[in-house]
Amino acid sequence: MGLRELADLREDTAESCKDLARIELSFARGTPFPLTLPQVVSAHRLAFSRDGLAQAREALARATGAARAARLAALRDFLVRARALELEPGAAQEALEEPRRPSVRLPGDPGLHGALPPVAVERDLPFVRGREERAARETALAAAWRNGASVRTALWEAAQEALSELELGEPADAVLALHERGWSAPGRSQPSERAQPLAPPSLLPADESPSLVRAAPPSAPEQSSVTQACEKFLSDTDPLARDLGAWLLERHSGARAIEHHDLLAFLHAPRFASAFPRGELLRTVRRWAEMLRLDLSAGGAISLEEEERALQPAGSRAVAVDPPDEIRAVTFPAEGPRAVGDLLSAIGRAQLRAGAPEDAPPEDLWLGDAALAAACGALLEGLLLDGAWLRRCARAELPRDDERALGVAALLQARLDAASALGSLLALREGLGAAARQGYGELHLRAALTEIPEALALRQLDPWLGPWSDLRGRALAAHLRAFLRERYDEDYWRNPRTLAALQGLWSRGSRPTLPELWGETGGEPSLRALTDELSRACA
């Protein structure tokens, strides 16, 4: 069974992606949802069914050729998530609406403002200058999120059940298998679809072993490649985070006991945020695009929307409404470098969705490895680490310590991705309970030097390992920037010849795997390039 034999399933999948994109666009805009998730599930029975997932699994097992295998793997990855939605459509809809429901009661004047939606409180929290007021708002926000714990548990268990249907072992092993194709180097032997047990050290039964030979104690379970990579990344960057990171956080907050809301303020609204005015957000990006001769609209396919709505989340998002012809980049304007980085990231993701040929298969338009979109976003977001770009495009003349603060912010965000990936694997093995909450709390403290409120901890975990996709994308982006810098000099970001290389990346849509892109640019999948770049940015 190949791609042609799955015509009905692939068509239903593409149509379901269109409906989900309408919901995603409404979320990004802060406007009413055009339809509910249960309605989407009901309208696309095949794409959300167990049978559809089984068909994709069987076709992938028989696939020959890199392109066919990559597209079938992308289809399978989407269908397993769709299957989890089909198991708990009501809980999924509840989780979608929860951020908009007025449930945060700020202390001091509950009768004046009443309850506020979490999405608005979370968006504005980092920009509150007073530490005590910021802490009080975070406490109120945590109390509101605590009420949705049962919904998150239901969704987590649905994801575990869907992963079990892949028949790749335990849910943690299954989700690791979903990410295998995006991390193994080209030519490296790939594990089989079903995990095989290790051969025992002796072929004799335990009760027939020679009496003079004692059985060896059981060895510790082998760590996955994801665990090893995340642990090594944290270990390699621990000294930098503990020394420079701790000093800059104390300098920013004015307190020795750094709290989680201080971290949010440092990441979103540092002391030098005024160097990046909200009114200059789009002008900064357009100034850079003119130097590179980049068409931000991709021939009219991409629309940039700068809006401010009460229920709109912070940051920028790229939504592929009907790729490659209609992509929306929606941004909530804000002051500070994080807003610039978010907009650059959204533009990179939008260019990827708009770059594919119109006759490309639906997998190349809608699906693919999530880390590829993350890499395209991080590739442009990383321009914030270039002092010359800041001066020429953002027109921000920052002291060296402030430039280093941008590097530390990027470092802490990458470390938080590693911590979330490790915490998510722990929760998949131990369950979404006290052990996962405590384990991630310790990882967050190590990664970002601050404790996270218990009610907020489990919200950072993802059964699909999205943070690992983001971290893989950041690593490839760092490698690609080094590649472009070597080929087109230090100011590659304004060299029109760079545009051809970028368009070569975007023009294939979601078809390439990350190992293929690493190989084409002379590297192998590794977090080393990201570690080196962040170390230089903080030096």
Side-chain angles (χ1 to χ4, degrees), residues 179-232:
H179 288 266
E180 267 177 2
R181 65 191 177 93
W183 190 240
S184 300
R188 187 180 299 171
S189 61
Q190 299 287 335
S192 61
E193 277 284 294
R194 185 184 296 275
Q196 299 294 329
L198 295 175
S202 172
L203 297 180
L204 292 174
D207 56 354
E208 296 183 19
S209 298
S211 59
L212 297 180
V213 180
R214 293 185 178 181
S219 59
E222 185 178 356
Q223 287 187 331
S224 69
S225 59
V226 174
T227 300
Q228 291 175 357
C230 291
E231 286 285 0
K232 187 176 189 314

Side-chain angles (χ1 to χ4, degrees), residues 285-419:
V285 173
R286 286 170 176 153
R287 198 176 293 128
W288 159 69
E290 289 175 2
M291 295 181 185
L292 190 62
R293 299 178 189 173
L294 169 66
D295 178 10
L296 291 176
S297 72
I302 300 175
S303 300
L304 290 176
E305 301 181 11
E306 187 180 28
E307 302 290 347
E308 294 183 63
R309 297 185 178 93
L311 297 179
Q312 188 174 346
S316 302
R317 286 169 174 78
V319 181
V321 179
D322 187 16
D325 299 320
E326 186 180 359
I327 292 87
R328 304 294 178 90
V330 184
T331 185
F332 186 94
E335 181 182 78
R338 180 65 174 263
V340 179
D342 283 349
L343 180 55
L344 288 169
S345 176
I347 289 172
R349 293 169 183 259
Q351 292 285 344
L352 173 69
R353 296 303 180 191
E358 290 194 9
D359 59 349
E363 294 82 6
D364 296 1
L365 298 175
W366 292 103
L367 308 179
D369 186 352
L372 178 57
C376 290
L379 179 59
L380 302 189
E381 181 184 4
L383 293 173
L384 282 176
L385 303 181
D386 192 308
W389 188 92
L390 292 174
R391 290 185 289 273
R392 292 292 298 270
C393 299
R395 295 184 177 175
E397 296 285 346
L398 299 181
R400 179 55 191 152
D401 280 346
D402 290 345
E403 289 186 359
R404 296 168 79 196
L406 290 175
V408 168
L411 171 69
L412 295 179
Q413 188 58 62
R415 285 171 60 84
L416 284 172
D417 285 341

Side-chain angles (χ1 to χ4, degrees), residues 159-192:
Q160 288 183 303
E161 184 174 346
L163 287 167
S164 297
E165 293 181 8
L166 291 174
E167 298 183 6
L168 294 172
E170 296 297 322
D173 300 322
V175 77
L176 289 171
L178 298 184
H179 288 266
E180 267 177 2
R181 65 191 177 93
W183 190 240
S184 300
R188 187 180 299 171
S189 61
Q190 299 287 335
S192 61

Side-chain angles (χ1 to χ4, degrees), residues 31 69 100 121 154 197 267 304 308 378 411:
T31 56
R100 297 183 169 194
V121 177
L267 294 177
L304 290 176
E308 294 183 63
L411 171 69

